[in-house]
Amino acid sequence: MTFENLLYAVEDGIATVTVNRPRALNALNEATLKELICCFAGIRDDDAVKAVILTGAGEKAFVAGADIAEMQSLDAVTARRFAQLGHQLAAAIEELSKPVIAAVNGFALGGGCELSLCCDIRLAAENARFGQPEVNLGVIPGFGGTQRLARLVGKGMAAELIMTGDMIDAAEAHRIGLANKVYPSAELLPAARKMAAKIASKGLVAVSFAKAALRDGLETDLSRACAREADLFGLCFATADQKEGMQAFLEKRPAKFTGK
Ligand code: CO8
């Protein structure tokens, strides 16, 4: 797959998607959002891809938000459509059966922070900065920030970030649970690849069911969520990977998963 505003590479079953507009700190314009949606559809359909890393080009930014120059002239109708495009991308990432790791290599602001929130795991470089600065522009987060940030770090912390527009550094993001781990910049992508490879070595049907249970469970009450988990747990027993995983344990050897 080739794109104007993205770099795309697959190595050893791990796809790396790099938002590539460094001159605008990788800000998301409409064209880039459409390319990301198209890219994740391709990833969904490519059996060779087992895990995904999402990052930004250059040393300064993951994604510094939606493209303010492009957004400036939107009206109520076109702004809603733009936000819906963001939600379409969020759904493509969250409904993907493969794990997606955000490697946050600098500014993750506004739509950039929200993009990282759609990913399953966020790893941050020491120079990462997270924030929802929309109030500084007279708007609110429009790509799920008010919802996903509150679900991840709690309503009070989300309210503080969204209402003050303050940026936080990687250490603080880690402290509040927004970043899973923090690495020196040069170690971020190798660490993301290592984690992606580790997940890709597991039973991938189980990994996708775990992703679905986590995602769907947070959308509903505890008893329905546990029922969903039980359904998916049961379905695991229809897979070859369950048989291989348990057999391998009992035979004291590493499992050879096939993703079936
Ligand atoms: N949009 C467009 N251009 C941007 C953006 C952006 N979000 N961020 C940076 N740029 C551009 C700058 O205009 C500048 O361009 P130029 O060189 O042509 O003047 C270039 O990138 C470099 O930026 P700076 O010179 O400003 O670099 P600094 O190191 O001085 O500052 C900052 C870095 C602090 C990141 C600063 O650029 C900044 O504050 N950027 C804006 C951050 C922001 O407010 N983001 C939120 C945008 S609103 C949003 O995301 C709402 C999402 C809701 C809907 C989304 C649907 C998908």
Side-chain angles (χ1 to χ4, degrees):
M1 294 192 280
T2 51
F3 302 96
E4 198 179 320
N5 300 315
L6 304 178
L7 303 172
Y8 183 71
V10 182
E11 204 181 326
D12 298 331
I14 297 162
T16 302
V17 181
T18 307
V19 180
N20 186 31
R21 298 185 73 218
R23 269 172 301 165
L25 300 187
N26 304 323
L28 298 173
N29 58 4
E30 188 179 327
T32 307
L33 283 171
K34 286 182 173 163
E35 287 193 347
L36 280 164
I37 291 166
C38 176
C39 185
F40 275 94
I43 288 171
R44 178 197 60 207
D45 297 339
D46 185 349
D47 288 342
V49 176
K50 313 285 185 215
V52 186
I53 296 168
L54 179 58
T55 192
E59 287 164 13
K60 230 176 134 176
F62 172 71
V63 167
D67 190 311
I68 299 168
E70 195 178 271
M71 261 191 314
Q72 185 191 19
S73 55
L74 297 180
D75 58 30
V77 172
T78 50
R80 184 161 178 264
R81 209 179 294 145
F82 184 61
Q84 283 169 339
L85 205 54
H87 292 306
Q88 207 182 319
L89 171 60
I93 295 173
E94 290 182 335
E95 286 163 20
L96 187 73
S97 63
K98 307 166 190 194
V100 183
I101 298 172
V104 180
N105 56 315
F107 293 111
L109 302 175
C113 185
E114 292 168 299
L115 180 61
S116 82
L117 289 167
C118 306
C119 299
D120 300 300
I121 293 165
R122 282 148 296 284
L123 305 182
E126 281 169 351
N127 72 331
R129 297 286 178 276
F130 293 82
Q132 295 290 160
E134 286 88 347
V135 287
N136 297 331
L137 302 167
V139 297
I140 66 167
F143 182 11
T146 57
Q147 305 309 308
R148 289 190 186 86
L149 189 59
R151 281 165 172 75
L152 190 64
V153 303
K155 187 179 167 204
M157 197 54 80
E160 183 180 330
L161 284 168
I162 291 167
M163 291 179 184
T164 63
D166 282 349
M167 269 189 238
I168 55 171
D169 64 15
E172 176 68 355
H174 182 236
R175 192 187 70 77
I176 66 172
L178 179 48
N180 292 55
K181 289 188 168 65
V182 180
Y183 301 91
S185 292
E187 291 170 27
L188 177 66
L189 276 179
R193 284 193 200 104
K194 197 170 164 194
M195 185 181 280
K198 179 187 262 192
I199 298 172
S201 74
K202 312 290 178 190
L204 285 179
V205 181
V207 169
S208 74
F209 285 177
K211 176 166 175 166
L214 283 160
R215 178 193 64 222
D216 299 347
L218 286 173
E219 298 298 313
T220 188
D221 60 80
L222 185 61
S223 64
R224 282 196 186 86
C226 289
R228 173 83 172 128
E229 186 192 71
D231 288 345
L232 289 166
F233 180 77
L235 271 181
C236 290
F237 287 74
T239 67
D241 280 352
Q242 173 269 327
K243 289 171 187 49
E244 166 62 9
M246 294 192 180
Q247 185 84 21
F249 175 82
L250 294 171
E251 290 172 5
K252 302 189 189 306
R253 62 172 174 82
K256 286 193 204 115
F257 292 118
T258 57
K260 296 199 171 104

